[in-house]
Amino acid sequence: MSVINDLINKIQDSDLKNRIQEEIDKLSKQKKFGLVFEEHMPECTPLFDVPVHVGSKVAIKDKKINAIYIVKDIVENTAICLDKSTQETVELPLKDLVTIAEFGEAIYPYLKPIDSVCNVPDSNLWHTLIEADNYHALQLLEYLYAEKVDCIYIDPPYNSGARDWKYNNDYVDSSDSYRHSKWLSMMDKRLRLAKKLLNSSDSVLIVTIDEKEYLHLGCLLEELFPSSRIQMVTSVINVRSVAREGEFGRVNEYIFFVFLGKSSPNALELSSEWLVQQDNKKTVRGKMHWTSLSRTDSTGFRKNSPGCFYPIYVSTEDNKIHSIGSSIALDVNKESVNETPQNTIPVWPMRKNGSEGRWQITPENANKLLEQGFLKCGPIKNNRAAIYYVKSGDRNRTLSGEYGNFIKTDNGIVFDDCDNTNTSIRFIPGNSWNISSHDAGVNGSNLLIKILQQRHFSFPKSLYAVRDTLNFFVANKPEALVLDFFAGERVIKVMGAVNVMKPRVSGTLNKYILCIA
């Protein structure tokens, strides 16, 4: 329909144009069954290193590719071109053109080494990073790894309308009436190639997605993998929830697993946090968890919640919380607060880069938690101390006795027996995951900031969420070959933090191939 609409807009006769548009509108309202999406103008790849010459297929630089031209002649700095769609002859400045290749046309890719990544000294891991259009990278990989890949993990654009991906050199946003169709067209072509790479007898395809496209993606996977078993898992990635205007806040995303051949998740030694008790359907965390009181996500700044910017006074004599200060107005400098009790230091919610952050809770709630024993401080270092608190769910479980016997001390709750241990059990979990280490803010954004302090990634994944997802399929395959052809920040986290992953992946020596555009 998108191509038809483009052609209708080129009709000069207004009466004819309106009559055809009316008939097309009637056709478009007819009920359709199954997954239906447009092919659209084929995806085009700009070839910036290929010079423009007579016979070249070209498009205009720095614009969305909605017109393709064939160069018929070049006169000095002007190209005489034929519009492929209208067959009209136009003259275009040579400097404004770029050679392109349409989808399906032969492109002969090659690998050009541009840098290297060194592993830790005691590691036998090896990874390959390919920087290219991922469709052409997949074409290249088919020559080398057809039916040899054990696991494909991808985190494609979620198509949320946030202009986080392009189609034919133009960002696709919420105003694009064909954005779902374009997304399906883009995914369909790449998944068909991915299928050729997977080992048909024993491999898995893993795709993460949110609610914007999970229905379409599920239908597409059913269509492309009719003989495979498909399951969807719900995974909590942000317990604080991401606000959505006019909607419920988002706390989770979905993970599709496509099991090829005999592939199935392996039972692993998992903490009791993964265990779901069948009698009351509640998640057992295994032990009370202390969490940093400092808010570190993208909203964790003083300006976002001035009422949560206040000092917590820590005693220099016994290294315990002495008292809670009052919040100060946004226009008041913290240096002007001079009410520090004797033999204490004030701890403010300052971020590591020196900017003013905020605490998770108000001073009133902090006082309540301090009285209950659910607020404590770490040791004083360089005139600073970390402050920790216990979230409401764990507080309720602690008070109910679920975590065992406890006593309240001057520096927080302490368990007086040995029952408060995070024991490991070998099992396959259910299809609803709520694991604290999967928090995308704590183990996604914050982890990346530690590695690349000057870079910001909008939608990072928790390193441990990726690790755990893969582990169910590759932990027992030391030579497993893993492919990610929508890699972004995971290039940094997987390749740049190998020493973080290695001791936590059951000793596996998996090989990763990551493709970024």
Side-chain angles (χ1 to χ4, degrees):
M1 292 297 294
S2 61
V3 175
I4 292 176
N5 286 334
D6 290 340
L7 294 174
I8 290 175
N9 289 331
K10 296 179 183 297
I11 299 174
Q12 301 298 322
D13 187 324
S14 59
D15 291 335
L16 177 60
K17 177 180 177 180
N18 292 334
R19 288 190 60 187
I20 293 178
Q21 186 65 61
E22 289 175 4
E23 294 302 317
I24 291 296
D25 290 341
K26 292 178 183 178
L27 288 173
S28 65
K29 293 177 181 179
Q30 293 180 0
K31 183 176 287 187
K32 301 171 183 176
F33 296 91
L35 188 63
V36 179
F37 57 94
E38 301 290 337
E39 290 299 326
H40 300 282
M41 176 182 287
E43 293 181 67
C44 299
T45 302
L47 306 174
F48 293 102
D49 294 333
V50 178
V52 176
H53 54 76
V54 175
S56 292
K57 193 174 294 184
V58 298
I60 299 177
K61 288 181 184 177
D62 302 326
K63 291 185 177 181
K64 61 181 180 180
I65 301 175
N66 55 12
I68 298 173
Y69 305 94
I70 308 296
V71 178
K72 294 300 183 180
D73 195 9
I74 297 178
V75 179
E76 295 183 349
N77 296 321
T78 301
I80 312 302
C81 302
L82 181 69
D83 188 312
K84 188 180 176 184
S85 176
T86 65
Q87 296 299 302
E88 295 178 355
T89 299
V90 296
E91 296 184 5
L92 299 170
L94 193 61
K95 63 181 179 61
D96 293 342
L97 301 179
V98 60
T99 303
I100 65 169
E102 289 188 272
F103 185 85
E105 290 185 337
I107 292 180
Y108 302 99
Y110 67 98
L111 297 180
K112 178 183 178 181
I114 58 174
D115 207 342
S116 61
V117 177
C118 297
N119 292 326
V120 291
D122 62 340
S123 172
N124 292 323
L125 289 163
W126 66 263
H127 305 309
T128 301
L129 170 62
I130 301 174
E131 184 176 5
D133 178 279
N134 58 11
Y135 182 84
H136 301 301
L138 288 170
Q139 285 181 314
L140 175 63
L141 291 174
E142 187 181 350
Y143 289 101
L144 304 172
Y145 299 108
E147 294 199 1
K148 293 182 180 179
V149 176
D150 298 282
C151 173
I152 292 180
Y153 175 101
I154 58 173
D155 180 26
Y158 283 7
N159 201 21
S160 61
R163 293 172 61 87
D164 58 342
W165 68 289
K166 286 184 175 182
Y167 191 92
N168 271 342
N169 206 40
D170 187 37
Y171 280 109
V172 179
D173 58 27
S174 57
S175 65
D176 191 327
S177 58
Y178 289 101
R179 66 186 179 94
H180 296 293
S181 184
K182 288 179 178 178
W183 187 87
L184 280 168
S185 181
M186 179 270 295
M187 290 294 295
D188 176 73
K189 295 178 178 70
R190 286 153 180 80
L191 288 174
R192 288 182 186 276
L193 283 178
K195 183 177 181 179
K196 297 178 181 179
L197 297 173
L198 288 166
N199 175 359
S200 58
S201 62
D202 182 11
S203 64
V204 62
L205 168 67
I206 305 170
V207 189
T208 61
I209 201 69
D210 73 356
E211 76 276 9
K212 301 299 182 184
E213 293 290 358
Y214 85 100
L215 292 171
H216 298 134
L217 176 62
C219 290
L220 182 61
L221 292 175
E222 291 280 359
E223 182 177 299
L224 296 179
F225 298 89
S227 60
S228 301
R229 292 169 291 116
I230 301 176
Q231 186 176 23
M232 188 180 76
V233 164
T234 300
S235 177
V236 175
I237 60 169
N238 194 331
V239 294
R240 293 172 294 279
S241 87
V242 177
R244 294 272 176 90
E245 185 177 355
E247 302 175 359
F248 296 107
R250 177 191 174 218
V251 301
N252 66 346
E253 66 179 15
Y254 307 105
I255 310 174
F256 276 102
F257 294 88
V258 181
F259 307 110
L260 278 70
K262 63 180 181 180
S263 176
S264 62
N266 297 302
L268 300 177
E269 285 190 2
L270 302 171
S271 67
S272 53
E273 189 177 7
W274 287 84
L275 184 64
V276 177
Q277 294 183 348
Q278 298 302 315
D279 56 347
N280 56 12
K281 303 295 183 185
K282 65 181 179 180
T283 301
V284 179
R285 300 180 66 91
K287 68 175 182 179
M288 189 180 75
H289 181 68
W290 289 95
T291 302
S292 172
L293 188 66
S294 181
R295 185 94 182 225
T296 57
D297 62 9
S298 59
T299 65
F301 294 94
R302 179 184 181 183
K303 62 182 180 181
N304 296 113
S305 184
C308 290
F309 187 78
Y310 54 89
I312 295 178
Y313 299 105
V314 176
S315 171
T316 56
E317 295 181 338
D318 54 15
N319 210 151
K320 297 172 184 175
I321 295 177
H322 174 276
S323 57
I324 310 295
S326 301
S327 58
I328 61 176
L330 193 59
D331 58 349
V332 176
N333 193 305
K334 68 181 180 66
E335 277 71 24
S336 65
V337 178
N338 53 12
E339 57 185 25
T340 303
Q342 187 176 2
N343 298 325
T344 69
I345 61 168
V347 178
W348 294 87
M350 303 298 293
R351 298 175 74 106
K352 289 186 177 180
N353 61 3
S355 61
E356 295 179 334
R358 67 184 178 97
W359 300 120
Q360 303 266 16
I361 56 179
T362 62
E364 294 75 19
N365 286 332
N367 274 303
K368 291 179 183 178
L369 296 189
L370 180 62
E371 182 180 351
Q372 294 173 337
F374 292 120
L375 191 70
K376 71 174 185 178
C377 70
I380 296 176
K381 294 181 180 179
N382 300 322
N383 220 34
R384 295 174 58 88
I387 309 296
Y388 303 96
Y389 83 119
V390 180
K391 294 182 179 180
S392 59
D394 267 1
R395 296 200 298 269
N396 294 334
R397 295 185 182 102
T398 298
L399 295 175
S400 69
E402 182 177 322
Y403 292 153
N405 300 323
F406 66 91
I407 57 174
K408 176 184 174 297
T409 72
D410 292 339
N411 198 28
I413 292 290
V414 172
F415 288 81
D416 63 357
D417 55 29
C418 299
D419 293 334
N420 189 233
T421 57
N422 203 2
T423 57
S424 295
I425 308 168
R426 183 174 289 275
F427 65 100
I428 298 175
N431 65 349
S432 183
W433 300 352
N434 187 358
I435 310 301
S436 57
S437 64
H438 292 187
D439 189 296
V442 175
N443 292 311
S445 299
N446 294 346
L447 185 59
L448 283 172
I449 290 173
K450 293 178 182 178
I451 300 172
L452 293 178
Q453 298 181 4
Q454 304 302 320
R455 293 290 301 275
H456 172 72
F457 294 90
S458 301
F459 307 105
K461 280 279 187 296
S462 163
L463 169 66
Y464 303 105
V466 178
R467 177 207 65 187
D468 290 344
T469 305
L470 294 173
N471 229 7
F472 286 110
F473 301 93
V474 303
N476 299 328
K477 294 181 178 180
E479 298 300 320
L481 183 62
V482 182
L483 167 65
D484 181 351
F485 58 87
F486 275 105
E489 72 274 2
R490 283 184 306 288
V491 172
I492 312 256
K493 290 192 287 184
V494 176
M495 300 187 71
V498 170
N499 56 333
V500 176
M501 289 190 65
K502 185 184 175 185
R504 301 175 181 270
V505 192
S506 305
T508 58
L509 299 178
N510 306 123
K511 306 172 184 66
Y512 294 88
I513 299 177
L514 301 107
C515 304
I516 62 172

